[in-house]
């Protein structure tokens, strides 16, 4: 197992990092799965049963996500690229990390701004536009949201796991770590890596992680400032 590289950082994020940008989480009070049955709107069975209902669910989320603005947590994460090699692995389907300036973002649960042909798998950018039944990809296949539904395979998982295994620093923010296999990524971190988890509530904080019990916009800038300071010291030490 390669030793973790202190210049490499992985951020593993969930919907909580976008909560203060006005986007709902899933399992908190007022969360999406408190309002909708995921079986009906986020599963292959729901799609087979009533595709228009599924389309409507994601069409209703696409506009607010496009209008939301990155918050202080997203921006602080992008700042890290000044001194570190940063990979953001996100369960989120919004593009707030990218709009904050993060240049390497791996979406393991898909992206709201993309659609794909149901049978062709052909992907196309839709931005904030709704997807309609009868709308086909270039190969004539019905377009569906490019989102990973329950029971479907997660995207880029092994790539994400490799990034986590090489990271000298890992920040987990805004996820309940209750959905697998994405949540298993935290276990790929090296014992000697500096590991921090940020969330107001967590059933079981992962072993070996420092738990900052608070909001992303309060805690993430603090972690980022500490890591940038540590890096500056190292470079000064080297230059001294
Ligand atoms: N700052 C930081 N964390 C927050 C904030 C905040 N302002 N608000 C809420 N949280 C935390 C909650 O305490 C909780 O731990 O964010 C977490 C949100 O958990 P979930 O609602 O379970 O969302 P998430 O972990 O992103 O869900 C994972 O489940 O439904 C599927 O595919 C969907 O990607 C999603 C996956």
């Amino acid at each position: 197992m390669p030793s973790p590289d202190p210049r490499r950082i992985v951020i593993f994020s969930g919907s909580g990092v976008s909560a203060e940008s006005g986007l709902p989480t899933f399992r908190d009070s007022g969360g999406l799965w408190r309002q909708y049955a995921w079986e009906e709107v986020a599963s292959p069975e729901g799609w087979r049963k009533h595709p228009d209902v599924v389309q409507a669910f994601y069409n209703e989320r696409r506009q607010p996500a496009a209008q939301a603005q990155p918050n202080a947590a997203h921006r602080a994460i992008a700042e890290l690229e000044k001194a570190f090699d940063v990979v953001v692995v996100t369960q989120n389907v919004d593009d707030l990390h990218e709009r904050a300036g993060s240049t390497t973002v791996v979406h393991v649960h898909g992206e709201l701004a993309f659609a794909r042909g149901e049978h062709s798998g052909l992907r196309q950018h839709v931005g904030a536009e709704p997807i309609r039944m009868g709308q086909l990809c270039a190969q004539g296949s019905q377009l569906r949201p490019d989102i990973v539904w329950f029971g479907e395979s997660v995207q880029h998982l092994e790539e994400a796991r490799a990034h986590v295994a090489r990271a000298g620093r890992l920040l987990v923010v805004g996820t309940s770590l209750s959905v697998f296999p994405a949540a298993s990524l935290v276990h790929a971190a090296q014992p000697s890596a500096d590991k921090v988890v940020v969330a107001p509530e967590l059933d079981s904080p992962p072993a070996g992680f420092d738990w900052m019990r608070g909001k992303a916009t309060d805690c993430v800038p603090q972690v980022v400032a500490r890591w940038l300071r540590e890096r500056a010291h190292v470079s000064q030490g080297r230059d001294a």
Side-chain angles (χ1 to χ4, degrees):
M1 177 74 73
S3 59
D5 181 342
R7 289 159 304 175
R8 287 176 184 272
I9 291 183
V10 168
I11 311 291
F12 180 49
S13 69
S15 56
V17 77
S18 297
E20 296 162 87
S21 295
L23 300 181
T25 66
F26 293 92
R27 295 168 187 81
D28 293 318
S29 60
L32 287 168
W33 301 151
R34 300 289 184 99
Q35 305 163 49
Y36 301 88
W38 60 263
E39 300 88 339
E40 300 300 325
V41 295
S43 74
E45 296 73 30
W47 175 254
R48 272 191 292 278
K49 185 172 154 193
H50 44 206
D52 48 331
V53 170
V54 174
Q55 297 280 32
F57 173 71
Y58 289 100
N59 288 346
E60 278 152 34
R61 293 178 61 197
R62 207 164 281 115
Q63 278 280 343
Q67 283 151 7
Q69 295 304 317
N71 60 48
H74 296 110
R75 293 194 295 272
I77 288 165
E79 277 284 296
L80 284 167
E81 296 194 16
K82 279 189 195 152
F84 292 95
D85 177 345
V86 182
V87 174
V88 176
V89 175
T90 188
Q91 299 168 89
N92 299 346
V93 294
D94 63 57
D95 64 349
L96 293 174
H97 282 298
E98 289 93 335
R99 284 196 277 132
S102 289
T103 57
T104 309
V105 182
V106 178
H107 289 266
V108 294
H109 289 162
E111 298 180 68
L112 271 174
F114 286 84
R116 71 169 190 264
E118 180 186 13
H119 303 303
S120 66
L122 265 186
R123 213 167 172 252
Q124 65 187 69
H125 187 259
V126 294
E129 296 308 309
I131 307 172
R132 306 263 176 239
M133 292 313 292
Q135 212 179 331
L136 308 179
C137 75
Q139 289 178 13
S141 177
Q142 170 62 51
L143 287 178
R144 54 159 280 178
D146 184 30
I147 301 285
V148 175
W149 291 329
F150 288 92
E152 293 189 319
S153 304
V154 165
Q155 300 174 352
H156 318 299
L157 190 66
E158 291 324 310
E159 177 198 342
R161 206 185 298 284
H163 285 303
V164 173
R166 282 201 301 263
R169 293 173 165 91
L170 175 64
L171 170 61
V172 174
V173 53
T175 177
S176 60
L177 296 172
S178 59
V179 172
F180 289 79
S184 71
L185 287 169
V186 299
H187 304 308
Q190 302 267 353
S192 59
D194 182 349
K195 301 182 284 291
V196 179
V197 58
V198 170
E201 298 302 330
L202 263 184
D203 292 346
S204 53
F209 281 72
D210 297 332
W211 181 15
M212 291 183 81
R213 197 172 189 153
K215 292 188 169 185
T217 58
D218 297 333
C219 302
V220 173
Q222 294 174 40
V223 178
V224 167
R226 173 167 71 84
W227 285 347
L228 289 174
R229 253 195 330 275
E230 289 169 1
R231 188 87 193 121
H233 284 156
V234 169
S235 350
Q236 278 155 15
R238 205 180 27 245
D239 300 345

